[in-house]
Amino acid sequence: MFTLIRGGDLYAPEPMGRRDILICGDRIVRIGGGMDPPPGFDVRVVDARGGCLVPGFFDLHVHLLGGGGEAGFSSRTPEIAFSSIVRAGVTTVVGCLGTDDVARFPESLLAKAYQLEEEGISTFIYTGSYRVPPRTITGSVQKDVALIPKMIGVGEVAVSDHRSSQPSYEELCRLSAEARVGGMLGGKPGVVHVHMGDGPGGLEPILRMARQTEIPIGQFLPTHVSRNENLMEQAVAFAQAGGNIDFTAGGRGLSFEADTGEAVLRALAEGVSPERITMSSDSNGSMPVFDSRGEVVRLAVGQIANLHAEWRGLVEKGLALETALLFVTRNPALRAGVGRMKGSVEEGKDADLVILDRELSVETVISRGRVLMEHGELLVRGVFET
Ligand code: ZN
């Protein structure tokens, strides 16, 4: 019932110095120094001395069911494995569909989210897919977001991409309004998570909605924003105007023009507030590389480990550890509307914690109070993982 984490430099994400953390059930109940185990209880003690204690990573964009299929059925990517999430130090994921909503459905995505939650991590999903109008469970985006607890918004809606349904501006406005009102009714953010493609228009439809409609700019969350120079310039302007932007980890491997870490540093250097930035993995999405005629020339699949690797890269490039942590802990939890329980280490919040070693590698992972990995050894696996 009780777990005591001893020692470790706590980044909550603010640096708090050396702290002990007492967990009861799935919650953090006390943070302090030199704590003793509560007498009369069985207490599991986890040694964090010499390491860093940080919030569990929060990944806003994961193709839980797999995705892809852009080069025929053999190019469908596989479902994510529970153990790969744990090894990556991720304790919360937000699942999405992608190009394929012909053979993958919001219902199956929801079932996969329930499965992972039962196995031990926290999950949320977006309704819809690339397409507008999207496939939903209840028949409308508004109802899905209002009534289905795990649904925090709609996405990833493809814009400025040859794989998109080429939605009109009016269709995008209607879709965003539905997500917003559904979110208001359901007490959720109703976020509109937008996949940005390589098209010349880039973010223009989103910038136009933010300018011309009553929908607040914070409703939109465009991703893959370092894909090309035009998009990057638009994304910086969007964030400077108060919008939130999401960078996809491992950009070079996706044939993005910029290295993701360098793109994040550039956004900061150009005055974007760290509060506006998140980073996600796009794990288990297909990463097809197309030639100028739109033909697939290479296939790869996104890895959830990229999130931690890109985060560590930011620290190695000189960014303060606590600033880099915002992008993968507190900010995504706020975007998902669950900042009250997740994304930071505080008394009363969910005990989602990662212990990093001196090289900032993931050593121990605790999700809702349960130790899933300890000192590099996986203690809990998915039901069918051997
Ligand atoms: Zn995408």
Side-chain angles (χ1 to χ4, degrees):
M1 185 182 183
F2 284 101
T3 302
L4 177 63
I5 306 174
R6 276 245 163 93
D9 268 330
L10 174 60
Y11 288 82
E14 299 80 15
M16 307 287 282
R18 195 160 163 175
R19 287 285 187 277
D20 300 335
I21 295 178
L22 183 65
I23 297 166
C24 178
D26 56 6
R27 300 282 173 88
I28 297 167
V29 291
R30 183 157 301 171
I31 301 171
M35 241 189 281
D36 287 319
F41 291 96
D42 257 355
V43 181
R44 177 178 193 156
V45 177
V46 175
D47 187 6
R49 284 171 301 178
C52 281
L53 258 168
V54 301
F57 283 34
F58 195 121
D59 194 336
L60 271 171
H61 186 122
V62 182
H63 295 272
L64 302 177
L65 280 183
E70 290 101 335
F73 294 113
S74 61
S75 67
R76 286 160 58 83
T77 59
E79 289 191 11
I80 198 161
F82 174 77
S83 59
S84 69
I85 302 173
V86 177
R87 284 189 203 280
V90 173
T91 54
T92 307
V93 292
V94 186
C96 54
L97 295 179
T99 317
D100 178 8
D101 66 358
V102 169
R104 300 187 195 269
F105 316 110
E107 290 88 341
S108 27
L109 182 63
L110 182 60
K112 179 70 185 178
Y114 283 135
Q115 177 186 30
L116 292 168
E117 182 100 24
E118 285 181 19
E119 288 175 328
I121 61 154
S122 298
T123 57
F124 300 93
I125 60 171
Y126 304 98
T127 189
S129 62
Y130 270 20
R131 190 154 59 96
V132 182
R135 191 190 275 268
T136 63
I137 292 181
T138 64
S140 92
V141 165
Q142 188 164 318
K143 274 199 220 171
D144 272 18
V145 176
L147 298 178
I148 299 174
K150 281 199 179 297
M151 286 190 170
I152 60 159
V154 65
E156 56 171 323
V157 182
V159 168
S160 301
D161 193 294
H162 63 104
R163 291 164 289 176
S164 83
S165 57
Q166 306 302 327
S168 69
Y169 174 68
E170 286 70 26
E171 283 179 308
L172 283 176
C173 291
R174 177 69 52 84
L175 180 79
S176 305
E178 281 209 28
R180 172 168 173 77
V181 177
M184 292 164 85
L185 296 173
K188 322 240 188 90
V191 63
V192 182
H193 189 37
V194 189
H195 158 107
M196 299 310 309
D198 239 336
L203 263 176
E204 187 45 41
I206 313 301
L207 290 162
R208 189 174 158 203
M209 279 194 283
R211 278 195 310 268
Q212 293 184 349
T213 72
E214 296 79 20
I215 300 168
I217 195 167
Q219 205 76 38
F220 306 103
L221 180 63
T223 188
H224 317 319
V225 296
S226 59
R227 187 188 290 277
N228 63 44
E229 178 58 27
N230 173 47
L231 202 46
M232 187 64 199
E233 284 173 15
Q234 290 175 317
V236 167
F238 181 73
Q240 284 168 339
N244 299 312
I245 52 176
D246 186 62
F247 289 85
T248 305
R252 278 272 193 251
L254 311 176
S255 66
F256 285 10
E257 280 178 15
D259 170 84
T260 302
E262 281 164 18
V264 170
L265 294 178
R266 170 181 160 189
L268 292 170
E270 293 185 15
V272 171
S273 163
E275 309 294 330
R276 301 273 71 86
I277 296 173
T278 54
M279 205 157 67
S280 62
S281 71
D282 206 357
S283 183
N284 292 63
S286 73
M287 308 294 169
V289 178
F290 298 93
D291 64 16
S292 58
R293 292 172 302 146
E295 304 284 336
V296 174
V297 291
R298 186 161 59 81
L299 277 173
V301 58
Q303 304 292 329
I304 197 160
N306 284 347
L307 187 66
H308 168 266
E310 197 74 70
W311 170 79
R312 178 161 60 184
L314 278 171
V315 179
E316 288 166 357
K317 286 178 169 83
L319 190 63
L321 191 147
E322 59 268 30
T323 306
L325 270 178
L326 291 175
F327 312 150
V328 292
T329 62
R330 177 175 292 161
N331 294 354
L334 290 172
R335 296 302 111 84
V338 294
R340 201 170 58 80
M341 293 310 296
K342 294 191 176 292
S344 56
V345 181
E346 285 174 52
E347 291 176 1
K349 287 197 171 182
D350 283 354
D352 295 339
L353 296 155
V354 168
I355 302 171
L356 304 166
D357 67 13
R358 286 176 208 283
E359 278 76 49
L360 301 181
S361 297
V362 177
E363 193 175 70
T364 296
V365 179
I366 300 172
S367 174
R368 297 199 313 271
R370 193 165 166 225
V371 184
L372 302 181
M373 186 164 99
E374 189 169 15
H375 302 307
E377 188 194 344
L378 205 59
L379 304 183
V380 180
R381 289 171 195 274
V383 172
F384 298 105
E385 291 180 307
T386 48

